[in-house]
Amino acid sequence: MRTIDWNDENGTIIMVDQTLLPAEYRMITCDNIGSLCEAIQSLRVRGAPALGAAGGFGIALAAGCSSTDSMEVLLDELRKVGDVIKATRPTAVNLAWGVDRVLDAARDGYDVSGIRSIVLKEAKAIADEDVELNKRLGAHGAALLEDGDTVMTHCNAGRMACVDWGTALGVIRSAVEMGKEIKVIASETRPLNQGGRITAWELMEDKIPVTLITDSMSGHVMRRGMVDSVIVGADRITQDAVFNKIGTYTHSIVAKEHEIPFYVAAPVSTFDFVRMEDEVEIELRDGDELRFMVGKQIAPLEVEVYNPAFDATPMENVTAVVTENGVFRPPFLLDEVRFLQ
Ligand code: MRU
């Protein structure tokens, strides 16, 4: 079952509600842009590639909901909806990429019904391609892992963060599929615990051995020689940095200090070919994510909170970036990754 998909029976988006994991696996439906934006903002659907699919399906949903019979009006409506969807989460570039890819395709339509079918076809293509690209990416990355390795990962870059298979966890899955024995150390990823709630659950479902640690234990486990390599996903890759879940940068410094390879796995759609690190907006989230945990107050209500969702890891801390087009070792030109190796 895919993490996010289109329901042809009623023209809606269906997705796993990831906020309920691991206690409950429930599919929910988004039948309007308001509910889709809420789902994105509250991380019911999350992870860069899954957000790319959400952005594409969002435009298809808006096209289906529109009552206009004017092509110009429809295109204008879709552009405005696209801006609303893109604003929900600014750092993960795939969201804007998915929206823009479908909006670009819409311009090829000759009439309203043509536009509707083009945008739906394009949105479905994004979702289908994601699965196929992750498999290719996984095969490239699997070659970097040795039989018997223990690999540390952060946040969730698994099938739940994508349409299926995963990027960082996709590499691990591919290595296991090739017959390698791989153990995983997953950091819990405060404040929303995607590592504990989602990565640990996904790997256990696949019977891949996983040990959960707190984020602050990464120094200890790497110093103790318990980690052979680190592999994470990415929300945006600029010429000079990798944006990923907050805490990734810290793990990269520890890995560098201990000469442990630090790999990033992401599809080409996660690359931002025009921006540098300081031009990227880092999403700031509600302070209540730190003041409360599963509904229980864990900090003074009035305490000031700084809660960036992502950080930037400088490219010099990255050993290699794995994409569907191959493995790239810095320094590389972003343009190089566009082409098949
Ligand atoms: O805030 P989230 O859960 O959407 O953040 C997700 C991450 O940071 C992932 O590591 C990243 O999107 C890569 S997913 C393949």
Side-chain angles (χ1 to χ4, degrees):
M1 187 76 191
R2 291 181 171 192
T3 303
I4 178 164
D5 213 343
W6 183 259
N7 185 346
D8 275 316
E9 280 171 22
N10 55 10
T12 60
I13 304 169
I14 46 170
M15 62 179 73
V16 177
D17 183 346
Q18 297 188 41
T19 61
L20 303 175
L21 292 172
E24 191 183 342
Y25 184 97
R26 189 196 298 170
M27 299 303 290
I28 54 167
T29 295
C30 292
D31 60 5
N32 62 74
I33 295 302
S35 67
L36 175 66
C37 289
E38 189 281 331
I40 294 171
Q41 260 160 348
S42 59
L43 273 55
R44 297 184 202 287
V45 59
R46 49 149 296 281
L51 290 174
F57 283 139
I59 298 299
L61 185 63
C65 291
S66 172
S67 54
T68 185
D69 51 14
S70 153
M71 207 174 104
E72 287 70 31
V73 172
L74 179 60
L75 288 175
D76 192 49
E77 282 178 9
L78 296 185
R79 210 170 22 80
K80 287 184 179 137
V81 165
D83 288 342
V84 172
I85 295 173
K86 287 191 227 178
T88 53
R89 297 202 74 191
T91 310
V93 72
N94 296 64
L95 179 61
W97 169 86
V99 166
D100 288 337
R101 177 169 154 176
V102 174
L103 286 178
D104 282 350
R107 291 195 198 99
D108 291 340
Y110 291 110
D111 55 24
V112 165
S113 78
I115 292 175
R116 282 205 183 98
S117 63
I118 284 174
V119 294
L120 182 55
K121 193 167 164 227
E122 194 68 16
K124 285 180 173 180
I126 290 177
D128 291 343
E129 283 168 24
D130 181 65
V131 185
E132 190 241 321
L133 297 182
N134 287 338
K135 291 271 173 108
R136 267 169 46 199
L137 182 158
H140 286 299
L144 299 169
L145 307 185
E146 301 285 333
D147 186 24
D149 272 0
T150 298
V151 182
M152 191 183 131
T153 190
H154 185 61
C155 193
N156 171 262
R159 68 163 52 96
M160 286 293 136
C162 302
V163 178
D164 204 348
W165 199 246
T167 54
L169 294 195
V171 168
I172 292 166
R173 286 197 167 98
S174 296
V176 170
E177 208 175 60
M178 283 165 66
K180 296 182 184 180
E181 257 184 49
I182 305 290
K183 292 195 179 86
V184 179
I185 292 181
S187 46
E188 62 179 353
T189 318
R190 283 283 291 143
L192 297 179
N193 293 63
Q194 290 92 328
R197 291 188 305 105
I198 308 176
T199 294
W201 168 79
E202 265 195 38
L203 291 170
M204 289 177 76
E205 288 269 299
D206 281 7
K207 306 209 171 358
I208 296 173
V210 56
T211 302
L212 183 63
I213 61 168
T214 66
D215 302 331
S216 54
M217 290 173 194
S218 69
H220 173 77
V221 293
M222 287 199 241
R223 188 171 167 80
R224 286 272 158 126
M226 294 163 71
V227 176
D228 296 297
S229 61
V230 179
I231 183 158
V232 296
D235 291 89
R236 185 185 296 244
I237 301 175
T238 57
Q239 191 74 58
D240 53 346
V242 171
F243 289 80
N244 193 49
K245 178 54 57 189
I246 190 75
T248 303
Y249 172 49
T250 318
H251 296 332
S252 81
I253 295 171
V254 181
K256 195 174 184 183
E257 171 69 18
H258 296 284
E259 296 179 0
I260 294 168
F262 186 90
Y263 301 121
V264 174
V268 175
S269 53
T270 303
F271 286 74
D272 183 344
F273 292 87
V274 294
R275 281 181 197 77
M276 300 294 276
E277 176 187 339
D278 54 9
E279 295 170 277
V280 175
E281 180 185 347
I282 292 190
E283 175 186 353
L284 287 178
R285 294 187 61 85
D286 199 305
D288 279 355
E289 290 182 354
L290 274 75
R291 295 188 195 99
F292 292 87
M293 199 175 201
V294 281
K296 184 173 163 36
Q297 187 187 333
I298 55 166
L301 289 181
E302 304 76 23
V303 71
E304 198 174 309
V305 167
Y306 177 52
N307 185 18
F310 304 99
D311 60 24
T313 295
M315 207 51 95
E316 57 262 28
N317 288 11
V318 175
T319 309
V321 180
V322 186
T323 77
E324 67 272 26
N325 286 346
V327 176
F328 297 86
R329 290 178 190 267
F332 58 82
L333 290 174
L334 289 191
D335 270 345
E336 290 171 40
V337 305
R338 281 186 165 139
F339 304 105
L340 267 180
Q341 277 192 328

